[in-house]
Amino acid sequence: YLLWRGARAATSGVPGRWQAAVEMLFELVDNQAKSVIRNEQSRRFVGPLALVAFIWIFLMNFMDMIPVDTVPQIWATVGPMMGFKDYMRILPTADLSTTLGLSTLVLILCIYYNIKIKGLGGWGHELISAPFGNHPVLWPANFLMQMIEFVAKTVSHGMRLFGNMFAGELVFMLIALMGGAWALSATGIGMAVGHVIAGTIWTLFHILVIVLQAFIFMMLTLIYIGQAHDAH
């Protein structure tokens, strides 16, 4: 919220690099929020929420840039001293509980805005009257389809982020194994060269994936909450 307000306030003088970057990010999210959510009062909360989601997920994704074994090796020493014995994985978004937790929060917000904008009765009527039409015979089918839609959107929202980041983490591990295989055998210099080349190429490509996945999660958050404002 402070980042959101700070970007709005920083309109005078020549901006520095940090201020310019914050303003560009703010304008990007603000424009996307305006294009999806017409309700200005809702945007006062949803806009900062989308900005925080983008930055938070980007930072969690960026932890994949830390060498694979660095933090786990530190944790292997520090963890048992603190009473923990579990192996530590560095990438939060490669854990399904993290991504589904975030998508479930978006689902809760969608339900909240459905009730706030349409009223409990209006949303309840929508649940049984769309998408097939408002006829008593079709009410059960409409309600079932609505429930399937909510569940499918929530699961796909979390699974998309998890799947891409988990796959990226696996590729980094496979590339690390190339270097490990060369170090253990002390033969086959091609493995060492391939390790460096593949690691560099995948790192550069994965930076794009990190940013893109954070942006997609943010956009889907805006779209799903925006759909909660629309009447069927």
Side-chain angles (χ1 to χ4, degrees):
Y1 177 76
L2 293 175
L3 182 64
W4 184 268
R5 292 295 298 274
R8 278 191 176 277
T11 56
S12 60
V14 179
R17 293 181 179 179
W18 169 250
Q19 180 180 329
V22 170
E23 288 180 355
M24 288 177 61
L25 180 59
F26 164 78
E27 290 295 335
L28 170 67
V29 178
D30 191 39
N31 290 335
Q32 296 299 331
K34 288 179 179 177
S35 66
V36 176
I37 301 174
R38 301 288 189 267
N39 190 307
E40 183 177 356
Q41 184 177 1
S42 297
R43 284 203 309 270
R44 293 178 184 176
F45 174 78
V46 179
L49 174 70
L51 179 61
V52 169
F54 177 82
I55 295 174
W56 190 21
I57 293 173
F58 169 78
L59 292 176
M60 287 194 293
N61 290 351
F62 201 80
M63 294 178 73
D64 211 12
M65 295 292 101
I66 300 174
V68 167
D69 292 328
T70 301
V71 176
Q73 284 180 348
I74 297 173
W75 184 251
T77 303
V78 177
M81 296 171 56
M82 301 172 61
F84 298 100
K85 298 181 181 180
D86 295 335
Y87 177 78
M88 182 179 186
R89 293 178 60 193
I90 183 59
L91 188 58
T93 46
D95 190 328
L96 194 56
S97 61
T98 300
T99 58
L100 284 182
L102 292 171
S103 64
T104 301
L105 175 60
V106 175
L107 172 64
I108 293 172
L109 288 172
C110 289
I111 295 173
Y112 167 77
Y113 277 106
N114 268 301
I115 297 174
K116 179 181 179 181
I117 300 298
K118 304 166 188 175
L120 185 59
W123 184 48
H125 180 266
E126 183 178 282
L127 289 177
I128 61 174
S129 62
F132 299 125
N134 187 16
H135 191 282
V137 176
L138 300 174
W139 287 353
N142 287 332
F143 183 78
L144 179 60
M145 289 299 296
Q146 291 277 3
M147 293 301 103
I148 292 175
E149 179 182 353
F150 278 114
V151 173
K153 288 195 298 188
T154 301
V155 173
S156 64
H157 197 188
M159 285 291 293
R160 181 181 290 102
L161 177 59
F162 161 77
N164 282 278
M165 298 312 300
F166 184 72
E169 186 182 41
L170 286 181
V171 172
F172 274 123
M173 290 180 178
L174 291 174
I175 293 172
L177 286 175
M178 294 174 62
W182 171 77
L184 290 174
S185 63
T187 58
I189 191 66
M191 292 288 286
V193 175
H195 167 74
V196 174
I197 295 175
T200 302
I201 293 174
W202 182 249
T203 298
L204 295 175
F205 175 76
H206 200 59
I207 292 174
L208 175 62
V209 175
I210 286 171
V211 178
L212 185 61
Q213 289 305 312
F215 179 77
I216 290 174
F217 193 95
M218 178 202 74
M219 282 303 304
L220 288 175
T221 298
L222 290 173
I223 290 171
Y224 291 159
I225 296 177
Q227 288 176 345
H229 289 71
D230 298 332
H232 291 285

